[in-house]
Amino acid sequence: MSLLEIKNLEHRYGNHTVLAGLNLTLEEGEIIGLLGPNGAGKTTLMKIISGLIQTYDGSVLVNGAPVGIGSKSIISYLPEQTYFRKSENIRSAIGMFRDFYADFDEKKAMEMAMDLNLDSKQKIGAMSKGMQEKLQLIFVMSRKAKLYVLDEPLGGVDPSTRDYILHTILSQYTENSSVLLSTHLVHDVEQIFDRAVFLKNGRVFLNEQVDILRAETGMSLDQYFREVYR
Amino acid sequence: MQFDNGLPIYLQIVKEMTLRALSGAMEPGEKIPPVRELAAQFGVNPNTMQRAMAEMERDGLVYTERTSGRFLTREEGVLAEKRKSFAREETEKYLAYMKKIGFTTEEVASYVKAMGEKGEETI
């Protein structure tokens, strides 16, 4: 049984076809880059996997069961936009995550937040954007999920924040979970990927191990990406 | 470590670890840190590091003891082989370059010798 098995997935947004019969199977224990230019359907696909979009045709199985209550408990989703309320502080946000998710490791989240030298009573709205991004990732990675779905976790962050985020992903994921990470800035992250999935015209254009791709093409993932989407 | 993203990353790690062994930065028989720890050090994912270790094991550069982990080989022969192949690779590259800019093999040899003895400024 695969961790994620998607067959003939179709999704329309008005007259516009976003996903046009997409097939994708992913196994556990990998960090997977979900790549494609803006508008390729990355966010839509991630929302469907995470159960936030329910209008689609085709089948989406997570750990063998259709997306639903059961899959939500094993998928940890990082949306593109931050979901904290500005008036919240770290302590209250942790409380909320604990109430929502049985697999949330409160202690770990607090430790990681304290490593950032944050005051647990500081209002989240008063923190810098980079800090909010770090905090959000800490929360998402502090769940013991099977599949981490991270939508553009590196969008618009500075290099040191990027390194922090990559390090946090690498150190928190385990062999029996997988990370699906979307980005259109391939260069910054390609060395942490096991596998790259390219979306094109609403389908999977390519699904391959990154080191195999490098050996076969002699190109970096970033160069290859630019070729494909030229 | 800076990677050349156009080459498989696990092979670049193998090369770097081999260099550490040849240069004495790692001692023969030294314990290799756990995969996760090395992966964090190199900033790559544990699967990539695992692949690098498997490759080094195939090469005989490291060996596994079932309960206590991985160790750098103590066999001089393995390291000598690696030293030879690394030397060959770099020298071929260097020779090709020097010939391209107009040196003969003999000139390269005496140039290298003089460089090694006196340093650059006197040549």
Side-chain angles (χ1 to χ4, degrees):
Chain A
M1 183 178 61
S2 300
L3 179 56
L4 179 68
E5 199 172 349
I6 299 176
K7 282 190 181 141
N8 294 317
L9 179 61
E10 289 187 27
H11 176 78
R12 265 172 229 90
Y13 189 78
N15 281 332
H16 178 57
T17 301
V18 184
L19 301 173
L22 177 142
N23 294 295
L24 178 64
T25 301
L26 298 177
E27 307 297 338
E28 61 182 30
E30 289 194 321
I31 299 182
I32 304 126
L34 180 64
L35 312 176
N38 291 321
K42 303 189 293 291
T43 295
T44 302
L45 177 60
M46 290 181 137
K47 282 186 173 167
I48 289 173
I49 294 169
S50 307
L52 274 88
I53 294 179
Q54 284 138 359
T55 51
Y56 58 82
D57 293 319
S59 89
V60 182
L61 301 181
V62 178
N63 242 359
V67 172
I69 303 289
S71 67
K72 276 187 186 171
S73 68
I74 55 174
I75 290 178
S76 190
Y77 171 61
L78 178 81
E80 217 176 343
Q81 262 107 33
T82 102
Y83 45 69
F84 291 125
R85 274 175 293 142
K86 293 205 182 320
S87 59
E88 246 172 352
N89 60 35
I90 296 177
R91 194 168 291 284
S92 65
I94 283 184
M96 208 169 78
F97 252 72
R98 181 190 53 213
D99 293 344
F100 268 132
Y101 303 109
D103 61 356
F104 182 63
D105 187 338
E106 182 183 352
K107 191 162 159 276
K108 189 159 93 179
M110 190 52 109
E111 275 171 16
M112 287 166 77
M114 292 305 104
D115 283 345
L116 294 173
N117 291 319
L118 289 171
D119 173 358
S120 65
K121 293 195 186 71
Q122 191 187 350
K123 295 253 188 301
I124 289 173
M127 295 173 190
S128 70
K129 182 169 186 291
M131 199 54 89
Q132 291 185 32
E133 304 252 357
K134 287 182 193 171
L135 199 57
Q136 179 160 282
L137 184 82
I138 286 175
F139 276 62
V140 168
M141 296 307 293
S142 291
R143 287 185 53 197
K144 288 191 185 66
K146 291 286 289 178
L147 179 61
Y148 299 90
V149 176
L150 313 177
D151 195 358
E152 294 277 359
L154 303 162
V157 302
D158 62 60
S160 80
T161 305
R162 179 193 64 209
D163 288 349
Y164 176 86
I165 288 175
L166 294 182
H167 177 79
T168 304
I169 294 169
L170 282 174
S171 58
Q172 295 310 315
Y173 109 104
T174 59
E175 297 78 25
N176 46 22
S177 59
S178 277
V179 177
L180 183 65
L181 186 160
S182 76
T183 184
H184 59 278
L185 303 168
V186 181
H187 179 75
D188 292 346
V189 276
E190 65 169 89
Q191 71 192 48
I192 78 160
F193 293 148
D194 288 297
R195 178 177 293 281
V197 171
F198 284 28
L199 291 191
K200 199 174 184 185
N201 300 328
R203 295 204 176 109
V204 171
F205 173 79
L206 172 121
N207 176 0
E208 183 59 276
Q209 283 185 27
V210 178
D211 265 352
I212 290 180
L213 207 63
R214 290 190 183 104
E216 280 177 358
T217 63
M219 283 188 260
S220 69
L221 186 60
D222 187 47
Q223 285 169 321
Y224 188 71
F225 178 83
R226 285 162 199 265
E227 288 271 305
V228 168
Y229 295 104
R230 198 163 43 184
Chain B
M1 174 181 171
Q2 273 297 358
F3 291 103
D4 172 353
N5 282 326
L7 297 169
I9 286 177
Y10 79 99
L11 291 178
Q12 297 179 62
I13 294 171
V14 169
K15 192 165 180 186
E16 170 64 23
M17 297 287 287
T18 310
L19 265 177
R20 288 181 188 180
L22 292 178
S23 68
M26 278 184 341
E27 300 283 331
E30 186 176 320
K31 187 164 165 44
I32 312 268
V35 164
R36 281 195 84 88
E37 195 181 315
L38 275 178
Q41 251 179 51
F42 278 89
V44 299
N45 101 34
N47 293 321
T48 305
M49 188 51 72
Q50 183 62 45
R51 209 170 300 144
M53 285 297 143
E55 181 74 18
M56 289 176 72
E57 236 166 84
R58 251 195 310 279
D59 270 6
L61 268 166
V62 300
Y63 63 95
T64 303
E65 271 178 15
R66 216 183 316 154
T67 49
S68 44
R70 274 197 188 84
F71 300 85
L72 187 63
T73 184
R74 289 176 190 281
E75 286 182 36
E76 283 301 323
V78 175
L79 290 174
E81 267 315 302
K82 281 287 158 195
R83 182 168 284 118
K84 238 194 261 177
S85 80
F86 272 45
R88 169 188 284 268
E89 191 184 322
E90 283 302 310
T91 308
E92 276 174 353
K93 234 189 296 176
Y94 173 67
L95 257 182
Y97 179 81
M98 291 302 271
K99 284 182 176 165
K100 199 166 164 187
I101 62 171
F103 277 68
T104 66
T105 306
E106 288 69 35
E107 281 167 345
V108 172
S110 54
Y111 181 74
V112 169
K113 192 156 185 287
M115 272 281 247
E117 282 167 2
K118 294 174 191 154
E120 193 175 5
E121 66 284 326
T122 55
I123 297 176

